[in-house]
Amino acid sequence: MSRVKKRVVLHFPGFEPFDAEAHRRRYARSARQSAEVWDFKSDVGPLVSTGAATHFDVDCAGPDWRTSSRIHVFDHDVLVDTLSRQSFTRRLGGGFASALNVTFNGGLWGYFRHAWRFGLFFLFPFLLAGLMTAAALVVAFIPHWLSLSSWNLLWSVPLAGLLLRQVMMPLATKFHTLHLFADWEMAVAMARLDRPDFNRWLKSCVDAACEAFSEDADEYLISSHSMGSSVAAHVIGMLIERRPDVIEGKRVVFATLGGAILQCALMAPAHALRARVGAIARAKEIFWFEVHCLTDAIHFYKTRVVALSGHPEARQPSIAYIKVKHMLSPDRYRRIRRNFLRVHRQYVLGPDVRAPFDFTLMTAGPLPAAAFAGFSRANIPAL
């Protein structure tokens, strides 16, 4: 297996309130864990902005190898911030409007048909918010239910407000309800492409991707996590549409980690996204593989994303199956296994033990990224 000495990475993170520097710090922590587990040295440099792109450099070395990687971060923190800065009422209304949009455009049916756990993930924040609203209304209108005088609303309505503020809002925060509402607003925007600010941002990402591909390297890795996979599909698809020469003759790998392209692509208006998925699948320079995990509910386990996007005849991505419990110590896994968002983040976090998949090793180690499509517990990466 040939070793990689110079790599360029285009990383598209998931939907989190993290800017590029926060992602760099997380990567540095994960790299330290990986270096300790695999017995190599790693050095993560500072964040640098050059033109349209933002990147940091990573140097890793073992006894007989050295690899330098430049990691370009395509964070969408500016979009997360746009959605999160809205008023509580606007966020609530926007979230429920997105739920209706997803439902009436076929998304809900598609989720339960192809990945029922993802369907439950979709319903969860809206059911929780609906139950909390109903509970507050019941308390507010207790006098009406008990046929009491309307004067009793003077104590029941403030009591409902207190219950909402002191009990229900902390509960909503604990389960990231409003954050998930914003996630679905972005999913609808990525499907419909009807928000000019989002579309301008996608165009700027295409410019940054061109800049990244202009650098010299042995390998170009496009890595994406969760919602970032839909963003990556748009950006790389647009790049192929407009500048196919940029990737010509290059060794390109597209790795989707807990990818949720179908979160957007299963909605009827997502014509452009589905077309771009097909363009990526047909690009001869790109080797595409997905990393799936049974215990991660926030992705489309065992589904064929290209076929379900309307391209059954195109080359389908390989699927590598992993288990989070095989990446962590028993104690750490016990602590996180019931936190579905934390389990979902493990794709891009550091391991406790050697495992078939390691994000740092794939993005900054000496092994070709495509090799991680074939690793398993019986075939662990060897440095």
Side-chain angles (χ1 to χ4, degrees):
M1 185 183 296
S2 61
R3 290 181 173 178
V4 177
K5 294 182 179 179
K6 180 70 173 72
R7 177 187 290 110
V8 168
V9 180
L10 292 78
H11 180 56
F12 294 81
F15 190 84
E16 297 181 89
F18 277 17
D19 60 12
E21 174 57 22
H23 284 292
R24 188 202 68 83
R25 289 196 298 268
R26 172 192 279 177
Y27 188 96
R29 292 193 298 271
S30 298
R32 286 194 295 270
Q33 287 179 260
S34 294
E36 184 176 346
V37 167
W38 293 95
D39 192 24
F40 64 85
K41 294 181 181 179
S42 70
D43 179 46
V44 178
L47 193 70
V48 177
S49 294
T50 57
T54 301
H55 69 263
F56 58 90
D57 293 329
V58 183
D59 292 313
C60 294
D64 61 347
W65 61 270
R66 179 178 294 276
T67 301
S68 296
S69 297
R70 174 158 291 179
I71 300 181
H72 296 263
V73 184
F74 293 77
D75 68 286
H76 44 261
D77 184 60
V78 62
L79 306 184
V80 178
D81 185 60
T82 297
L83 296 170
S84 300
R85 279 190 292 104
Q86 300 174 119
S87 67
F88 172 78
T89 304
R90 173 65 186 82
R91 295 179 72 181
L92 203 63
F96 277 110
S98 299
L100 292 174
N101 209 311
V102 170
T103 301
F104 288 113
N105 281 299
L108 180 59
W109 163 247
Y111 302 156
F112 277 101
R113 182 182 179 188
H114 301 294
W116 63 270
R117 294 185 304 162
F118 193 88
L120 294 178
F121 164 70
F122 165 70
L123 290 176
F124 171 74
F126 302 107
L127 289 177
L128 182 62
L131 288 172
M132 290 192 298
T133 302
L137 290 173
V138 166
V139 172
F141 289 98
I142 282 177
H144 175 73
W145 314 132
L146 298 179
S147 300
L148 300 177
S149 167
S150 298
W151 288 105
N152 287 280
L153 293 174
L154 293 175
W155 62 263
S156 65
V157 171
L159 179 62
L162 185 65
L163 180 67
L164 190 65
R165 181 184 180 88
Q166 299 298 323
V167 178
M168 296 180 184
M169 287 305 296
L171 185 65
T173 301
K174 177 182 178 181
F175 289 106
H176 310 284
T177 307
L178 290 180
H179 180 73
L180 294 175
F181 274 33
D183 176 73
W184 285 104
E185 282 197 72
M186 181 166 172
V188 170
M190 288 293 110
R192 299 178 65 90
L193 295 181
D194 58 352
R195 293 190 57 153
D197 53 339
F198 281 41
N199 296 344
R200 284 194 298 271
W201 179 81
L202 285 173
K203 174 62 170 62
S204 72
C205 287
V206 175
D207 296 337
C210 283
E211 187 174 314
F213 275 108
S214 69
E215 300 171 16
D216 184 50
D218 303 330
E219 173 180 273
Y220 299 83
L221 169 62
I222 305 156
S223 64
S224 63
H225 176 231
S226 193
M227 169 68 78
S229 296
S230 290
V231 177
H234 271 305
V235 172
I236 304 306
M238 291 164 71
L239 189 68
I240 293 171
E241 291 166 2
R242 302 171 186 183
R243 293 286 308 277
D245 59 296
V246 169
I247 64 170
E248 189 174 338
K250 293 180 169 67
R251 187 170 81 186
V252 184
V253 178
F254 183 24
T256 54
L257 319 175
I261 290 176
L262 293 174
Q263 176 183 13
C264 306
L266 288 175
M267 295 184 226
H271 306 291
L273 177 58
R274 289 191 291 270
R276 287 162 183 165
V277 168
I280 295 170
R282 293 184 180 93
K284 66 180 187 300
E285 295 89 353
I286 299 177
F287 174 75
W288 184 355
F289 77 96
E290 298 203 295
V291 180
H292 290 191
C293 177
L294 176 62
T295 52
D296 173 24
I298 314 178
H299 80 306
F300 290 79
Y301 184 68
K302 280 192 174 182
T303 58
R304 294 293 182 178
V305 62
V306 173
L308 292 177
S309 295
H311 310 280
E313 80 293 345
R315 182 179 52 180
Q316 303 298 310
S318 301
I319 301 178
Y321 297 101
I322 64 171
K323 290 187 177 180
V324 168
K325 69 178 180 180
H326 294 159
M327 303 168 69
L328 303 176
S329 65
D331 180 59
R332 190 193 298 268
Y333 181 67
R334 277 194 299 269
R335 293 201 305 269
I336 73 161
R337 64 180 180 174
R338 300 189 189 283
N339 184 335
F340 62 92
L341 289 175
R342 172 60 181 82
V343 169
H344 185 57
R345 286 197 300 271
Q346 185 56 45
Y347 297 97
V348 295
L349 299 180
D352 293 332
V353 296
R354 297 187 180 190
F357 177 77
D358 184 304
F359 184 61
T360 302
L361 205 59
M362 182 182 74
T363 54
L367 305 177
F372 286 84
F375 289 138
S376 65
R377 292 198 76 196
N379 179 29
I380 296 286
L383 299 185

